[in-house]
Amino acid sequence: MTRALLAEPRDPADSPAPFRLCHEVAEAWEAVADDLAAARRSIDFEQYIVGNDAIGRRILGIMADRARAGVRVRVLLDWFGSLPLKDSDAVRDLHEAGGTVRFYNPLTARAVLMAPTRIHRDHRKIVLIDGEVAWLGGICFTDRMCDWRDTFMRVGGTVPRPMAEMFDLSWRRAEHPTAKRRMTRAEAERDVYHRQDGPFRYMVNSPEKPIRRDLFRCVLERIDEATHTLRLTTPYFVPEHRLLRHLTAAARRGVVVTLLLPEVSDHPPLDILGRAFAERLVRAGCTVHFFRHRMMHAKVAIVDDAWACVSSHNLDRLSSRLNLENGVTSGDPTFIAALNDRFDRDLENSITEPPALESWKPLLDPLLRLFGRVF
């Protein structure tokens, strides 16, 4: 089943799926707002961070307007990432308008103490409109991210159906957080998610089995199959050891591996850890670039100019092992060329010498040693 899932579509022309890539957060917000306002039948919205601020209230307000017009609106927000919205006027207004809002996986002391894996977060970014238009990628909806460099993708074709199926699984889990819901292998073989056959393939990491780490396993397999080039963009680089091993192995067999990180992220402690892991890649022959002047938050992979992925998946242990993540993969030449073009432009605004973060090192050296042993 895994090989069939990871295989690229047989004939992209059979299932055309026009796409749009937004590489600026503010641009993506406007495009999503326009699509939400045009919804006729349904809106499914799943997000890690929606702020109780101007853009957060604006997006929820648009969905409340559509709910009043008879559109079915379901909003699934991560409890931790969107906590400021929990008892907000914007959420109450949406409920009163006829929409439904659920918060995924509230943290409790019992859950943390009894089963630390239960602290996983819903890190997906989904906007699904009328079952026909899908948005996904790395973009959240909070004012502090308005000038970030990120990637959000609009796509139709065969992607909305499996996205809706996976949304329904998370929606039910949010309603019954203690229920042990596992997909049987027979269910997985029958469902839409495992029968995708278009130019773009929707993939997830999920607590549901047997699809738990599909997206991560797909990326690992493509890294192993790379023969010429491997280009990766991620905001945080704290990989589990297996990913680091696959990347260094690719470089040592002659693949040109290029990693793009932010010069300074919104989580400086992770920058220290990321530098340490990046140094291992450099020693193996990889090139690491640091995007300058503003936050780089995109999550993109391009392999051999033959395969690419846009996702919510950071190259860190939380994304690969715990969190709900999602992405789209494709061998479509136009899609790959567009991502390569943007990667080249980002490299023009980057440096290869890491910025100095000496002020953090006295505090974080013990943590760095701990991660070195764990990974």
Side-chain angles (χ1 to χ4, degrees):
M1 183 185 73
T2 301
R3 173 60 62 175
L5 177 64
L6 298 180
E8 288 304 328
R10 292 187 297 273
D11 187 357
D14 290 343
S15 302
F19 68 91
R20 174 184 178 183
L21 292 169
C22 293
H23 297 293
E24 299 294 335
V25 169
E27 174 196 2
W29 286 349
E30 293 303 318
V32 170
D34 289 343
D35 277 348
L36 288 172
R40 305 182 309 277
R41 299 185 304 276
S42 64
I43 296 172
D44 290 332
F45 185 96
E46 184 174 357
Q47 182 58 244
Y48 178 55
I49 297 177
V50 177
N52 188 16
D53 50 27
I55 186 60
R57 291 190 290 269
R58 178 187 173 195
I59 291 297
L60 292 179
I62 293 171
M63 289 190 282
D65 289 342
R66 300 317 299 148
R68 292 186 189 96
V71 174
R72 186 199 70 183
V73 177
R74 298 186 296 177
V75 177
L76 181 58
L77 303 176
D78 184 75
W79 179 88
F80 180 79
S82 299
L83 186 59
L85 273 179
K86 187 70 171 64
D87 298 310
S88 67
D89 292 339
V91 167
R92 281 193 293 270
D93 289 346
L94 182 51
H95 277 299
E96 292 171 1
T100 307
V101 181
R102 291 178 182 169
F103 285 84
Y104 186 88
N105 200 18
L107 286 179
T108 64
R110 183 176 183 275
V112 173
L113 293 174
M114 298 297 291
T117 56
R118 291 184 182 176
I119 67 175
H120 69 273
R121 307 316 322 157
D122 188 347
H123 196 246
R124 294 176 188 162
K125 288 87 174 169
I126 289 173
V127 184
L128 182 59
I129 299 165
D130 294 334
E132 298 174 353
V133 174
W135 285 91
L136 75 163
I139 285 177
C140 301
F141 292 82
T142 187
D143 289 354
R144 68 182 178 88
M145 300 180 180
C146 67
D147 62 348
W148 285 13
R149 161 70 182 90
D150 209 329
T151 297
F152 217 41
M153 178 180 180
R154 185 186 195 270
V155 64
T158 60
V159 170
R161 286 189 65 199
M163 179 182 284
E165 186 174 71
M166 293 298 105
F167 178 91
D168 286 342
L169 277 176
S170 300
W171 185 254
R172 293 196 297 271
R173 179 178 280 271
E175 184 180 19
H176 303 290
T178 60
K180 294 183 178 180
R181 171 71 174 96
R182 293 188 178 185
M183 295 176 66
T184 66
R185 189 163 294 275
E187 287 175 325
E189 293 286 3
R190 289 195 303 268
D191 67 23
V192 174
Y193 176 77
H194 286 87
R195 291 186 285 106
Q196 299 180 62
D197 193 26
F200 295 94
R201 188 179 301 279
Y202 183 68
M203 304 193 76
V204 301
N205 285 1
S206 172
E208 316 296 343
K209 294 184 177 180
I211 60 174
R212 182 167 173 260
R213 301 179 77 189
D214 277 351
L215 179 58
F216 180 63
R217 288 199 304 266
C218 180
V219 172
L220 285 181
E221 179 161 323
R222 293 295 173 173
I223 292 172
D224 282 348
E225 294 175 351
T227 58
H228 301 295
T229 59
L230 174 59
R231 312 178 104 185
L232 300 168
T233 305
T234 185
Y236 317 110
F237 188 62
V238 190
E240 62 175 84
H241 182 70
R242 182 162 58 149
L243 174 58
L244 197 67
R245 187 173 65 247
H246 286 228
L247 290 172
T248 55
R252 285 168 179 156
R253 67 174 182 267
V255 177
V256 178
V257 179
T258 307
L259 177 67
L260 180 61
L261 303 173
E263 182 180 26
V264 179
S265 79
D266 58 327
H267 296 296
L270 294 184
D271 294 344
I272 293 288
L273 298 174
R275 301 294 184 274
F277 290 112
E279 287 174 6
R280 296 188 190 180
L281 293 187
V282 172
R283 289 197 297 269
C286 305
T287 302
V288 180
H289 291 256
F290 298 90
F291 188 78
R292 306 192 70 187
H293 305 309
R294 58 189 179 124
M295 175 62 181
M296 166 62 76
H297 196 247
K299 304 94 163 50
V300 173
I302 312 166
V303 181
D304 289 340
D305 296 335
W307 177 91
C309 175
V310 170
S311 74
S312 65
H313 196 302
N314 299 318
L315 296 183
D316 62 22
R317 194 177 182 90
L318 291 177
S319 285
S320 62
R321 287 190 171 271
L322 289 178
N323 291 344
L324 277 70
E325 306 285 356
N326 68 323
V328 161
T329 69
S330 181
D332 180 78
T334 306
F335 175 63
I336 295 168
L339 291 175
N340 265 323
D341 178 69
R342 186 65 204 203
F343 194 91
D344 289 336
R345 291 166 61 188
D346 290 336
L347 290 185
E348 293 174 0
N349 189 39
S350 71
I351 56 175
T352 55
E353 289 295 324
L357 294 172
E358 295 298 326
S359 60
W360 288 90
K361 284 196 171 183
L363 176 65
L364 292 169
D365 271 344
L367 184 61
L368 185 59
R369 288 194 294 273
L370 172 63
F371 267 79
R373 287 193 290 268
V374 170
F375 289 97

